């Protein structure tokens, strides 16, 4: 039986959440969550128009998560009725040809934008990142100010514009941020 490490966290406004590893049992929740995203959020996530997740994409986003080279976490908001509402997913995938570097991606449901979901997810993702990963290398749209700001908060960055996209490299700190539930 697989053990899921669950971390308690609070959003900026004090909303209680749980952060837990994504597992194959979450496949349909990932599909449903993607369908709820606005077209703009879908495009920002994949840097292309993606109307629906294909089975191959779901295989990669869910089934390929191994907790070693591909770490994926989901943040669930705890409602007043004590049920969980999915609010976002973050993942880090080690590059096979560069084992000290990884790509990172964060998807936050539209109604949770600007409330600290990505911040909480990334703090926990850094703690659970693949062993030996010291650098993030990723690409974001030039007009995605929120993602650029989020990446710059992770550590020293190097950015190179490439048309409508920016290639970003982030040197990750050795010292990890405080635990998500610490309130800092």
């Amino acid at each position: 039986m697989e053990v899921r490490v669950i971390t308690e966290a609070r959003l900026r406004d004090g909303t209680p959440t749980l952060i837990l590893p994504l597992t194959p049992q979450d496949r349909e929740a990932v599909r449903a969550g993607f369908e709820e995203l606005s077209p703009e959020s879908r495009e920002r996530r994949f840097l292309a128009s993606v109307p629906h997740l294909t089975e191959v994409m779901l295989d990669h986003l869910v089934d390929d998560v191994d907790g070693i080279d591909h770490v994926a976490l989901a943040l669930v908001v705890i409602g007043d009725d004590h049920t969980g509402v999915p609010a976002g997913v973050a993942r880090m995938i080690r590059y096979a040809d560069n084992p000290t570097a990884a790509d990172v991606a964060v998807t936050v449901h539209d109604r949770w934008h600007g409330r600290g979901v990505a911040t909480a997810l990334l703090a926990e993702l850094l703690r659970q990142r693949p062993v030996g990963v010291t650098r993030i290398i990723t690409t974001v749209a030039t007009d995605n100010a929120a993602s650029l700001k989020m990446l710059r908060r992770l550590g020293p960055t190097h950015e190179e514009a490439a048309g409508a996209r920016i290639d970003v490299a982030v040197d990750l700190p050795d010292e990890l941020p405080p635990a998500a539930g610490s309130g800092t």
Side-chain angles (χ1 to χ4, degrees):
M1 183 169 138
E2 184 176 330
V3 176
R4 290 174 78 161
V5 176
I6 299 173
T7 304
E8 293 182 21
R10 291 200 177 269
L11 300 183
R12 283 188 209 116
D13 63 4
T15 301
T17 71
L18 298 175
I19 300 174
L20 52 150
L22 208 61
T23 68
Q25 292 79 17
D26 299 317
R27 186 180 183 97
E28 289 310 312
V30 169
R31 182 192 317 267
F34 184 81
E35 292 297 320
E36 294 174 5
L37 295 174
S38 67
E40 179 184 11
S41 290
R42 291 178 190 187
E43 186 158 340
R44 285 193 175 200
R45 168 56 182 92
F46 289 103
L47 297 174
S49 177
V50 178
H52 307 285
L53 293 177
T54 66
E55 292 302 314
V56 171
M57 293 170 88
L58 282 164
D59 289 346
H60 176 65
L61 295 172
V62 180
D63 297 343
D64 289 351
V65 175
D66 63 8
I68 299 167
D69 294 315
H70 184 165
V71 176
L73 303 173
L75 184 139
V76 177
V77 174
I78 307 304
D80 292 335
D81 60 356
H82 302 290
T83 60
V85 177
V89 174
R91 67 184 68 247
M92 190 177 288
I93 304 171
R94 182 193 315 267
Y95 289 107
D97 62 343
N98 186 355
T100 62
D103 190 9
V104 68
V106 179
T107 304
V108 176
H109 290 265
D110 294 80
R111 70 181 182 165
W112 295 100
H113 285 187
R115 298 196 44 201
V117 171
T119 299
L121 277 167
L122 280 171
E124 189 60 28
L125 190 60
L126 285 180
R127 276 187 286 290
Q128 295 188 35
R129 70 184 177 217
V131 173
V133 167
T134 60
R135 189 167 222 227
I136 291 172
I137 301 173
T138 195
T139 302
V140 299
T142 55
D143 66 348
N144 192 343
S147 289
L148 289 168
K149 182 178 177 182
M150 171 187 73
L151 290 166
R152 291 171 184 144
R153 283 194 312 248
L154 297 180
T157 62
H158 173 75
E159 300 171 20
E160 188 172 317
R165 301 175 179 187
I166 299 176
D167 295 324
V168 181
V170 181
D171 294 320
L172 298 174
D174 292 332
E175 186 175 315
L176 296 176
S182 70
T184 58

